[in-house]
Each structure stands twice: as C-alpha cells, then as structure tokens.
Amino acid sequence: SITGGGKMKKISKTIENYESNSKDVKFLPKSMIRLKILENLYESPMNMKDINQETKFNYSAISNNMHILELGGYIYQENNKYFLSNSMRVIVGNILQLDKLMCLLENISPICLDHAVQALPLDSINAFHCLSEVSLIESDGMNVYKTYDIIKNSISKSKCGYAILPFSYDEFNDSFNKLLSKNKKVHIISPRNIKEFLIKSFNVSDDNLKIDFLGIEEINSILLFCSDKKMILGFFKDDGTFDQNRLLVSTQVSCIKWANDLFNHFNEENI
C-alpha cells in the first residue's frame, strides 16, 4: 500500500483524470482496428494509404473506423492527412503506457509479487512503464550466484557507478574499489546502520568516492546500480530478506534514465 497525504492527493488526481475520460478509454480499446489506427496516428499524421501499409487492414475497415473516429472528434483531416485531436493524444498516450505497463508486470511478476515494490517513490511508480525493455534475470541450479555475478561484473566494467546499497557485501565493495582504482567516479547511498562496515571497506579520502548515509527506511528495501551502460534493480521480499535470486536488468536508455531518476530522488533527500 502507498501512504502519505501528498501521495494520496496525486493518486486521487490521477483517478479523476482517468474517470473524466472513462467513456473514451472504454470505447477505444473495444476495436483493435480503431486502437491500431490511433496508435499509428500517435506516432505521426498519416493518410489512408499510410495507414493501410502500416496496419495491413483493408481500406473498407479503415474507412469505416476512420469515419467513426472523425465523427467522435477523436481525429481530424487536414491536407489529406489525419491527425489526433489534442485531447486524444493524451488519452492514446495513457492507453499505450497502460498497455506497456500491463505487459511489463506480466513479464516481471515473480519480482513484484510478495516483494517490497511499494518502497519505490510515487514518481518512479508512475513512470514504471519506462521499464518496458527491462529483463528479469533469475538464478538457477547451474549458477546460484548468477545475479550477484551480474552486479559485480557490471560495476567493474562501468565508466562510473551510482548505487543504492542497502547492505555491505565484500565482493560488491571490491568491484567498486576496482572502479575507483581506474580513476572512475562512484557515488553510493546507504542506510546509516551499515556505515561502519562501508567505511572500513573503502578509502573514504578518495576524491572520486562519495558515500551518503541516510536514515530513510525505503533504501533498506531496494538495491540499485546504474551507470552509463546499464541499470540493475533488486528488491527485498515482504519478509525483509533480499531476493538474491532475481534482478531487473537493462541496457536501454529509457531504463537507465528511470534508474538515474530513482537514484536522484534519494540523492535529493540528502540535500
């Protein structure tokens, strides 16, 4: 569950926005043809021939549905091309984001169910659809340390490293030290209850190293590493133990940006 007055106000506002367009949101997805037409027009204005080539629907089906959409004010025609109305751009954008989110949640359900996903700030949850290109990596009988190996290798091969580190693990610390030895920058955010362990593991006088210790409960529930090349996200289970068998990993720009925004959220908490 998500608590807090500010968060509840944002959620209520989101619900109001969806309810105000509820008829449109219910009407449009009922026809795959209409939805596909709108999806293509969301990318760019098109004429009938363009839509036919992109969707592979026959001209009769396209014409009938375009007429319905035009009568409803969802689209308009100008210079032989069809455009989405301004309000429809917002609605279609929301529908496409929702579709991405539903597919994402289905693909990564093992790391969402019974895990402390609510530890994420609301802005990160609202932008969760940006992780549509993320991969769920799971350890198996052939390599029970698969996820930890991915984290270590990713740290070592990066040009810089930003991490939310909820616990001290010698092999992770060694990887960060290797990165520092290459004169690369490292910024770590950790809870104060492991300050003593981390101070012993790093040369805190290194100008390329920055460690912030926060008393924020949420950073005890997620592990995050992001760099110029990759993002890695891990969660704790509802019972308080870290799930060392599952990680979300991506090299896609949108996912790395999402991870950087998440890191910056906690970094700003320290300012």
Side-chain angles (χ1 to χ4, degrees), residues 239-256:
D239 63 9
T241 60
F242 180 69
D243 187 350
Q244 59 185 6
N245 297 314
R246 298 177 181 86
L247 290 173
L248 297 180
V249 179
S250 180
T251 57
Q252 296 297 314
V253 174
S254 61
C255 297
I256 293 173

Side-chain angles (χ1 to χ4, degrees), residues 33 36-37 40-41 46-63 66 82:
I33 297 177
K36 199 65 180 177
I37 290 171
N40 279 276
L41 292 180
M46 293 183 177
N47 56 34
M48 292 283 285
K49 183 178 180 180
D50 294 332
I51 295 171
N52 169 258
Q53 291 177 343
E54 290 293 326
T55 65
K56 308 304 180 187
F57 297 135
N58 62 59
Y59 278 99
S60 176
I62 294 173
S63 178
M66 295 288 277
Y82 290 90

Side-chain angles (χ1 to χ4, degrees), residues 137-148 244-247:
I137 306 296
E138 298 183 276
S139 297
D140 51 45
M142 299 295 293
N143 184 2
V144 295
Y145 299 107
K146 181 177 181 179
T147 57
Y148 276 21
Q244 59 185 6
N245 297 314
R246 298 177 181 86
L247 290 173

Side-chain angles (χ1 to χ4, degrees), residues 18 25 28-29 32 34-44 84 88-104 126 128-132:
Y18 273 102
V25 173
L28 297 173
M32 182 56 65
R34 283 197 296 265
L35 197 55
K36 199 65 180 177
I37 290 171
L38 292 171
E39 182 179 352
N40 279 276
L41 292 180
Y42 183 78
E43 297 298 327
S44 64
L84 289 181
M88 187 48 43
R89 286 199 64 81
V90 175
I91 294 172
V92 173
N94 285 335
I95 291 173
L96 295 178
Q97 286 183 4
L98 182 60
D99 181 58
K100 285 183 179 179
L101 180 59
M102 296 304 291
C103 292
L104 170 64
N126 286 340
F128 210 61
H129 61 274
C130 295
L131 298 181
S132 59

